[in-house]
Amino acid sequence: MEKFLYTVLPVSMNMLLKLSVHMANELSYGCHIKLSGGYVRMAERAIALYEQEGCSSFQFFAKNPRSLQVKQFVTAEAERCRQLMEHYRLRSVIHSAYPLNLAISIHDQPEAAIQHIQSLCNDLEIAEVTGAIGVVVHFGVAKKSNRLAGYQDILTTLNTVLAMYKGPALILLENQAGLYGGIGSTFEEHVQIKQLCIDPERVGFCFDTCHAYVSGLWHADNQLGTEQLLRDGDRLGYWDDVEVVHVNDAAEPFGSMRDRHAQLGTGHISLAAMKELLSASQLHGVMNVLETPASDVSFHQPEWEILRQLHYSN
Ligand SMILES: [Zn+2]
């Protein structure tokens, strides 16, 4: 049976899990898991990683990451995936397809814009039925010459998607490395765009540590840089809506705007700065997901130990 869902369901399981992880001050971490073989096969891989390494969070592509084509999913299989997530108390999030651009202009490119909107709605439906908390979406690619139009187009896309999809899966805006017309790398932009949406409570954030560092948002090289970052986010209420942290070291220097991820402890961000950030009370209970280079999950092995130490040691 195949179907699209545009229904309103209570958020339930994921909110409860976030709350319980937060209250117990537990670490919820993991990495990207391959979808090959389908949603149930993916869930089995996630369960194996949970049993071996304690990874209780993961990210996945709902469909081919290089295409915006809508995926016709088999509901029974996706629901089985959700049941497994609930049984093992795992949390997952979808990463939208690479070509997706919230700043696509419906006036200049109506056909393409519709494709982007449908692709995101499709991802949100798959998130809901597989039990994922939502869909991570990059802030958007705008023309440098017209940033304001870029923001307007992002709002149009978001509002159209929010009007079409009414379920519990969240849209999670991810901070960018500083390219793409220079938008999407500050807290102000994220908080403003969320507040201007027709349904702000269904929009949250995904904070990427590598992007924050190379864009110049997070002065991790500076001794007071992390404290300042946390304070800046507090002032705008940004951290309250962060559901996921992409925990990536940076292969390029501070402010370089070059987006190349490195494994934890091998790039420019010191482990001391990473520890200060990840163990901050503002980030308790969020999903910590590695997007660092690894052709197989086994290559993340040294990083699990680092993550555990970052959170628990003093
Ligand atoms: Zn990321």
Side-chain angles (χ1 to χ4, degrees):
M1 188 172 75
E2 297 170 352
K3 75 172 186 180
F4 289 151
L5 294 169
Y6 286 108
T7 52
V8 180
L9 290 174
V11 173
S12 69
M13 199 63 190
N14 282 306
M15 277 185 76
L16 289 174
L17 276 177
K18 184 182 180 189
L19 192 65
S20 71
V21 169
H22 179 86
M23 286 172 69
N25 192 14
E26 284 171 16
L27 172 56
S28 175
Y29 61 92
C31 61
H32 199 92
I33 302 259
K34 284 186 185 143
L35 178 63
S36 56
Y39 299 120
V40 172
R41 185 69 200 92
M42 173 190 73
E44 287 167 356
R45 278 194 282 270
I47 292 163
L49 201 59
Y50 169 66
E51 289 177 336
Q52 286 157 19
E53 300 289 349
C55 297
S56 59
S57 288
F58 69 98
Q59 177 173 274
F60 65 101
F61 289 118
K63 54 199 180 201
N64 177 356
R66 309 205 181 277
S67 158
L68 292 175
Q69 205 167 7
V70 166
K71 183 178 174 109
Q72 307 285 318
F73 57 91
V74 179
T75 308
E77 196 213 344
E79 279 177 357
R80 177 68 189 136
C81 172
R82 180 174 52 77
Q83 286 164 2
L84 289 169
M85 297 294 98
E86 289 181 3
H87 182 78
Y88 285 88
R89 294 167 55 88
L90 301 183
R91 290 193 290 167
S92 65
V93 67
I94 287 174
H95 196 295
S96 55
Y98 292 126
L100 190 84
N101 180 15
L102 294 179
I104 185 116
S105 167
I106 203 153
H107 301 293
D108 299 344
Q109 298 173 270
E111 278 179 27
I114 288 166
Q115 217 191 354
H116 288 240
I117 287 161
Q118 285 176 335
S119 178
L120 182 50
C121 283
N122 181 229
D123 280 346
L124 287 160
E125 290 161 356
I126 295 172
E128 178 176 335
V129 76
T130 56
I133 65 162
V135 180
V136 172
V137 186
H138 293 161
F139 192 86
V141 182
K143 286 198 189 89
K144 205 168 188 170
S145 56
N146 201 346
R147 293 165 58 120
L148 283 180
Y151 297 130
Q152 205 165 31
D153 290 332
I154 290 170
L155 274 173
T156 303
T157 307
L158 285 174
N159 284 339
T160 309
V161 171
L162 290 167
M164 286 172 70
Y165 171 79
K166 297 280 189 189
L170 300 168
I171 298 173
L172 302 171
L173 300 175
E174 177 173 353
N175 60 308
Q176 299 186 141
L179 296 173
Y180 313 125
I183 64 170
S185 60
T186 67
F187 290 145
E188 284 83 356
E189 290 166 291
H190 286 74
V191 172
Q192 281 291 320
I193 288 286
K194 172 185 160 75
Q195 284 172 353
L196 290 168
C197 281
I198 53 169
D199 215 348
E201 63 274 21
R202 292 199 286 131
V203 177
F205 306 126
C206 167
F207 181 79
D208 187 303
T209 55
C210 171
H211 299 174
Y213 180 75
V214 299
S215 71
L217 175 66
W218 178 23
H219 294 258
D221 301 339
N222 183 322
Q223 220 187 347
L224 298 174
T226 305
E227 204 182 305
Q228 184 67 47
L229 178 86
L230 291 165
R231 232 183 346 219
D232 290 345
D234 282 341
R235 186 168 41 83
L236 295 163
Y238 172 84
W239 301 115
D240 298 342
D241 297 303
V242 171
E243 301 289 336
V244 179
V245 176
H246 282 167
V247 184
N248 301 316
D249 202 342
E252 302 286 347
F254 174 74
S256 63
M257 294 191 195
R258 288 199 295 269
D259 182 16
R260 279 207 307 129
H261 301 181
Q263 286 216 326
L264 297 186
T266 70
H268 287 261
I269 303 174
S270 73
L271 287 177
M274 199 64 100
K275 176 187 163 85
E276 191 182 352
L277 180 67
L278 297 184
S279 60
S281 60
Q282 287 90 334
L283 293 178
H284 282 178
V286 303
M287 296 164 64
N288 288 266
V289 179
L290 293 177
E291 285 181 324
T292 54
S295 51
D296 181 86
V297 290
S298 61
F299 289 99
H300 288 306
Q301 181 84 43
E303 293 180 285
W304 304 136
E305 199 45 48
I306 290 175
L307 266 175
R308 288 189 280 261
Q309 284 173 6
L310 290 183
H311 280 261
Y312 292 126
S313 62
N314 276 307

